[in-house]
C-alpha cells in the first residue's frame, strides 16, 4: 500500500482528507499535514502509536478496516467511530457543536452538559446523559443542557478547548482548539446524521454561535464556534459552520 492508496483507504472509511488532488478529495499521494493528522486519528482509534506515519502496523490496520467495511462486518464510513451503545433509539432533529470553554480534557462538568466530547488529541469521550434523554418528544430528567431553549431533539457535541479565550481581540486562551479536534469532528457528526437521519443543512447541523441567527433562539453571547485557533484566516460563525457542513457532506 503506497501513500495514495492509504489516503484512498482513509477516505473510504469516512475521514475528511481535504480538497487536494485531481478529484479534490485529498487523494494526491503527498503525505502532508492533513494526511498525517488524519492518520494519527486513525492510529489512535486502533490503539496504535499516533505518529501520523504510514507504518507497517498502520497499513495492516487500514487493510483490515477496509476489508471489514467491504464485507459488511463494520459500519461504513464515519459511523465506525462511534460505539452502537452511544447511539440509542431517539427522535433527533439536529446536531449542535460547541466548545467547552474549558481545558483540553473533558471534566465531569463538561460530560454532564454534552453527549459527545472531543479532547485535544481527538480522543472521543461519551457524555453522561444519553442521547435518548434529549428526544424530540420531550427531554427527560438529567438531559444534556447544552443550548439555551434548544435542547429538545438536539445532540450536543463539544470540543474540549478554549479556556480563557477572548473573542475580540481574538485570543484562544490557554487551551486553544487543535487541528486534530477539528479534523475529528466531521466523522462524528456524519455518524450521528446517518444514525438519526439528519440532513446536513444550516438549521440541522450548526454551531452554538449560529443558533440565534439561524434558528431565532436567543442565546447569551455565545461565540462557539466562530474562530479556529489553528487557522486565524477563518473568521465568523458562518465561515466556520460552512466549513464544518461541507466536510460532513463529503463524508455522506
Amino acid at each position: 500500500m503506497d501513500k495514495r492508496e492509504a489516503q484512498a483507504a482513509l477516505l473510504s472509511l469516512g475521514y475528511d482528507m481535504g480538497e487536494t488532488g485531481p478529484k479534490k478529495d485529498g487523494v494526491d499521494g503527498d503525505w502532508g499535514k492533513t494526511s498525517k493528522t488524519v492518520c494519527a486519528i486513525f492510529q489512535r482509534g486502533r490503539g496504535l502509536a499516533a505518529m501520523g506515519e504510514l507504518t507497517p502496523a498502520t497499513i495492516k490496520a487500514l487493510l483490515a478496516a477496509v476489508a471489514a467495511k467491504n464485507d459488511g462486518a463494520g459500519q461504513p464510513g464515519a459511523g465506525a467511530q462511534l460505539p452502537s451503545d452511544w447511539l440509542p433509539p431517539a427522535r433527533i432533529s439536529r446536531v449542535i457543536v460547541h466548545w467547552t470553554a474549558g481545558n483540553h480534557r473533558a471534566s465531569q462538568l463538561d460530560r454532564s452538559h454534552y453527549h459527545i466530547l472531543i479532547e485535544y488529541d481527538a480522543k472521543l469521550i461519551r457524555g453522561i446523559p444519553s442521547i435518548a434523554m434529549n428526544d424530540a418528544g420531550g427531554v427527560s430528567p438529567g438531559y444534556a443542557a447544552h443550548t439555551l431553549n434548544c435542547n429538545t431533539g438536539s445532540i450536543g457535541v463539544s470540543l474540549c478547548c478554549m479556556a480563557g479565550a477572548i473573542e475580540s481581540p481574538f485570543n484562544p486562551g490557554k487551551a486553544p482548539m487543535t487541528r486534530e479536534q477539528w479534523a475529528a469532528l466531521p466523522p462524528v457528526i456524519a455518524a450521528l446524521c446517518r444514525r438519526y437521519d439528519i440532513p446536513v443543512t444550516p438549521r440541522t447541523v450548526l454551531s452554538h454561535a449560529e443558533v440565534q441567527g439561524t434558528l431565532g433562539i436567543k442565546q447569551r453571547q455565545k461565540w462557539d464556534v466562530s474562530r479556529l485557533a489553528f487557522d486565524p484566516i477563518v473568521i465568523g460563525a458562518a465561515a466556520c459552520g460552512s466549513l464544518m457542513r461541507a466536510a460532513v457532506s463529503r463524508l455522506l
Side-chain angles (χ1 to χ4, degrees):
M1 175 179 281
D2 61 23
K3 293 176 180 178
R4 185 182 295 273
E5 291 169 335
Q7 289 171 328
L10 288 166
L11 182 68
S12 75
L13 293 171
Y15 294 93
D16 181 8
M17 301 301 296
E19 298 181 348
T20 60
K23 295 183 179 180
K24 303 297 183 183
D25 57 3
V27 180
D28 60 4
D30 179 16
W31 203 254
K33 191 169 186 177
T34 298
S35 294
K36 289 179 180 179
T37 296
V38 173
C39 181
I41 293 171
F42 172 82
Q43 289 168 327
R44 190 173 293 110
R46 268 61 182 185
L48 302 173
M51 300 181 294
E53 300 298 336
L54 200 56
T55 63
T58 303
I59 292 174
K60 182 178 179 180
L62 272 173
L63 291 171
V66 171
K69 171 179 174 286
N70 292 338
D71 290 343
Q75 294 178 328
Q81 286 207 18
L82 298 180
S84 59
D85 61 333
W86 291 26
L87 306 173
R91 290 165 291 178
I92 298 295
S93 55
R94 69 181 67 85
V95 178
I96 301 177
V97 175
H98 309 252
W99 59 48
T100 61
N103 293 313
H104 278 141
R105 292 297 186 192
S107 68
Q108 192 77 353
L109 180 62
D110 295 336
R111 292 185 61 231
S112 72
H113 282 289
Y114 306 102
H115 296 109
I116 298 171
L117 300 105
I118 304 175
E119 296 187 328
Y120 79 102
D121 55 0
K123 181 180 180 181
L124 301 185
I125 302 296
R126 185 179 186 178
I128 295 170
S130 167
I131 286 174
M133 292 180 175
N134 287 61
D135 189 273
V139 297
S140 303
Y143 70 94
H146 53 83
T147 306
L148 182 64
N149 295 324
C150 193
N151 294 298
T152 303
S154 299
I155 295 173
V157 177
S158 191
L159 308 181
C160 299
C161 59
M162 304 300 280
I166 299 172
E167 183 175 10
S168 183
F170 178 60
N171 183 331
K174 66 179 183 179
M177 181 196 300
T178 67
R179 188 179 295 275
E180 287 78 10
Q181 286 176 303
W182 186 251
L185 180 61
V188 170
I189 299 174
L192 296 171
C193 289
R194 286 178 185 271
R195 172 65 179 90
Y196 296 106
D197 196 24
I198 303 170
V200 182
T201 75
R203 295 184 64 85
T204 56
V205 175
L206 67 165
S207 74
H208 197 177
E210 296 178 285
V211 169
Q212 183 167 314
T214 302
L215 302 181
I217 302 172
K218 190 174 181 179
Q219 300 297 298
R220 296 170 180 161
Q221 298 179 323
K222 297 297 183 179
W223 59 290
D224 53 326
V225 175
S226 57
R227 296 298 295 262
L228 304 180
F230 56 86
D231 192 352
I233 295 176
V234 182
I235 300 174
C240 294
S242 294
L243 283 176
M244 175 178 70
R245 285 183 288 274
V248 174
S249 294
R250 285 195 295 270
L251 298 180
L252 297 172

